[in-house]
Amino acid sequence: MNDKAAILGGLQAQIYWLHDAEKFTELASAAATIYLTLGYTQQQAETAGNLISEAYKLADEAVFAQKVGDFDKELQFYYQVKDKLTEVETVLGYQTSIAIYQMKWWLYFRHKKKLQILVNLFLQNFQALGLFHLFTAIKLTYFLMEIGRVHKSRDLETTKHNAIKYWLELLRINPSQYPYLG
């Protein structure tokens, strides 16, 4: 197994649990470590990690708005999530924006709309990787769907295993832009 993929997969799985535990400082640190491992500078990584943590907090606020039936407020929070993730892209120097797709699959995940989750996960990967890596984008989408499925059942080891497979596949192609934003 690729050591880098194991590190990245472990951190990715850890982020989901830190989010569930509302440990946002640790979540920011784990996200920053992902970007350091990918070769970004300390400043880029820390800024991206903090923005990703803020996006998770805003997504939680959106869930609270959803629970009280305030759809407009929920959407406002999700668009703030998109803005935070767009800032991450800017900090990392991404050429193609994928933040809208990540924001949408987060929204649809919470609304349990499986087809829309799948479409937006795929678009996030496809947009970042392009037509040349269509099959990789499909595989990455599958791994992310599996990560979400087993995370919901609170299976940390299988979540980590799927996250490692995700990173093995992604690192194999050495993309110019990563489709992962936290």
Side-chain angles (χ1 to χ4, degrees):
M1 180 190 324
N2 182 315
D3 289 340
K4 190 173 183 179
I7 291 166
L8 293 167
L11 289 165
Q12 182 180 356
Q14 182 182 14
I15 285 173
Y16 300 130
W17 265 263
L18 291 169
H19 172 239
D20 290 348
E22 298 182 1
K23 294 185 176 183
F24 293 104
T25 302
E26 293 91 338
L27 188 154
S29 179
T33 304
I34 285 174
Y35 290 107
L36 279 172
T37 304
L38 292 172
Y40 292 93
T41 68
Q42 183 77 32
Q43 181 63 42
Q44 286 175 306
E46 287 178 6
T47 302
N50 287 327
L51 289 166
I52 288 166
S53 179
E54 291 172 25
Y56 272 101
K57 288 180 200 174
L58 288 165
D60 287 350
E61 292 296 325
V63 170
F64 293 131
Q66 175 192 2
K67 287 179 180 176
V68 298
D70 192 341
F71 184 69
D72 291 334
K73 190 72 164 173
E74 178 189 6
L75 284 181
Q76 287 176 5
F77 282 119
Y78 276 118
Y79 278 100
Q80 290 176 31
V81 166
K82 181 193 68 73
D83 292 344
K84 293 294 178 187
L85 296 175
T86 300
E87 286 183 61
V88 171
E89 294 173 326
T90 301
V91 166
L92 300 176
Y94 283 9
Q95 299 302 308
T96 304
S97 182
I98 58 174
I100 187 73
Y101 303 117
Q102 180 149 343
M103 178 275 287
K104 284 183 177 182
W105 80 254
W106 281 10
L107 179 144
Y108 293 131
F109 183 82
R110 291 190 172 84
H111 283 266
K112 297 176 178 35
K113 297 190 180 235
K114 291 180 183 178
L115 180 59
Q116 290 93 335
I117 297 166
L118 180 65
V119 166
N120 283 283
L121 277 172
F122 171 74
L123 289 172
Q124 180 178 342
N125 288 292
F126 180 72
Q127 185 77 11
L129 301 178
L131 185 58
F132 186 74
H133 295 292
L134 173 64
F135 293 114
T136 300
I138 292 169
K139 287 180 190 177
L140 295 176
T141 301
Y142 171 76
F143 293 140
L144 287 171
M145 287 295 290
E146 283 298 295
I147 288 167
R149 184 184 64 78
V150 296
H151 173 68
K152 283 191 331 187
S153 66
R154 301 298 180 242
D155 181 348
L156 177 59
E157 282 309 307
T158 306
T159 300
K160 183 178 174 181
H161 175 74
N162 285 317
I164 290 168
K165 289 178 6 181
Y166 171 90
W167 284 103
L168 280 169
E169 187 66 29
L170 186 55
L171 293 173
R172 184 184 58 76
I173 65 167
N174 194 26
S176 59
Q177 174 177 323
Y178 295 96
Y180 178 79
L181 291 177

